[in-house]
């Protein structure tokens, strides 16, 4: 009898504390495709990236040219001249490597540029999702476009269009 009462009390406590949680999905790729500022930012990043890549390739080409010239002249050069040419080639290769790291490294200029262009857009999306979640009582909002392991998501709980509307991009 005691066990039944204890089990009943535990069950009542569990049911009382368990609240219905609501979930929603968004499709971040779909949202981003429908934001013109995102497309402009991507285009800017592509242009800057191509420009910087051309600079790095130009220095690499100079290094290759120095090396080819060295190969052609090596038999006619003294030890000091050989050493000087080799150092010039290595210096040019080092310059290209440093420039590549400066532009494309983990904390490089491209990363900083991407962050400065994308952060305001991401913040705007986050705020819209947060406002909708607070309004509707969602406990969790998942991105169906990410590789989070969502096998199926009902279109009924997809709030992507609502996020776009909240941001002023009516669809």
């Amino acid at each position: 009898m005691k066990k039944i009462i204890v089990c009943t009390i535990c069950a009542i406590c569990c049911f009382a504390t368990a609240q219905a949680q609501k979930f929603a999905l968004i499709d971040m790729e779909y949202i981003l495709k429908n934001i013109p500022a995102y497309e402009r930012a991507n285009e800017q990043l592509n242009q800057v990236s191509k420009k910087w890549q051309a600079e790095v390739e130009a220095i690499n080409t100079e290094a290759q040219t120095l090396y080819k010239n060295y190969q052609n002249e090596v038999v006619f050069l003294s030890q000091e001249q050989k050493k000087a040419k080799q150092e010039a080639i290595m210096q040019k290769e080092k310059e290209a490597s440093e420039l590549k790291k400066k532009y494309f490294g983990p904390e490089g200029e491209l990363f900083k540029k991407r962050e400065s262009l994308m952060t305001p857009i991401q913040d705007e999306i986050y705020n819209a999702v947060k406002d909708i979640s607070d309004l509707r009582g969602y406990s969790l909002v998942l991105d169906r476009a990410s590789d989070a392991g969502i096998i199926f998501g009902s279109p009924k709980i997809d709030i992507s269009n609502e996020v776009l509307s909240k941001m002023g991009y009516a669809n």
Side-chain angles (χ1 to χ4, degrees):
M1 185 69 154
K2 234 181 189 183
K3 286 183 183 179
I4 295 173
I5 294 173
V6 171
C7 287
T8 305
I9 291 173
C10 286
I12 291 172
C13 288
C14 288
F15 288 126
T17 59
Q19 299 173 356
Q21 295 184 356
K22 292 174 70 176
F23 304 101
L25 294 176
I26 61 170
D27 188 339
M28 191 61 85
E29 287 178 12
Y30 172 76
I31 291 171
L32 291 173
K33 283 179 188 175
N34 286 285
I35 298 176
Y38 176 76
E39 295 298 324
R40 286 190 301 270
N42 259 344
E43 185 57 37
Q44 254 186 304
L45 288 172
N46 287 337
Q47 289 174 356
V48 167
S49 178
K50 286 177 187 175
K51 176 184 157 211
W52 290 340
Q53 186 63 36
E55 287 180 37
V56 171
E57 287 175 5
I59 295 174
N60 274 329
T61 302
E62 288 178 35
Q64 289 173 352
T65 302
L66 287 173
Y67 181 74
K68 287 178 185 175
N69 290 342
Y70 171 77
Q71 290 291 350
N72 291 335
E73 300 169 352
V74 71
V75 290
F76 305 113
L77 300 175
S78 68
Q79 280 301 97
E80 295 87 28
Q81 291 172 325
K82 286 179 185 178
K83 187 174 181 180
K85 295 240 182 210
Q86 289 171 349
E87 286 177 5
I89 293 167
M90 288 190 302
Q91 180 61 34
K92 200 51 92 169
E93 288 173 343
K94 183 178 177 186
E95 184 182 337
S97 176
E98 287 174 354
L99 190 62
K100 185 175 183 178
K101 183 179 177 183
K102 175 187 170 194
Y103 287 149
F104 303 107
E107 295 294 321
E109 296 297 320
L110 187 63
F111 174 80
K112 291 174 186 172
K113 183 85 169 165
R114 176 177 285 119
E115 196 170 63
S116 71
L117 292 172
M118 296 301 179
T119 299
I121 296 168
Q122 291 170 337
D123 288 347
E124 188 179 2
I125 293 170
Y126 171 79
N127 289 332
V129 170
K130 185 178 180 316
D131 289 347
I132 293 168
S133 296
D134 290 344
L135 181 71
R136 296 231 181 129
Y138 294 131
S139 301
L140 179 68
V141 178
L142 300 171
D143 178 13
R144 76 168 53 219
S146 72
D147 293 331
I150 298 172
I151 296 172
F152 173 76
S154 173
K156 294 176 186 175
I157 62 171
D158 190 328
I159 60 169
S160 300
N161 285 325
E162 190 172 349
V163 170
L164 285 169
S165 295
K166 180 87 172 162
M167 295 171 61
Y169 302 105
N171 218 9

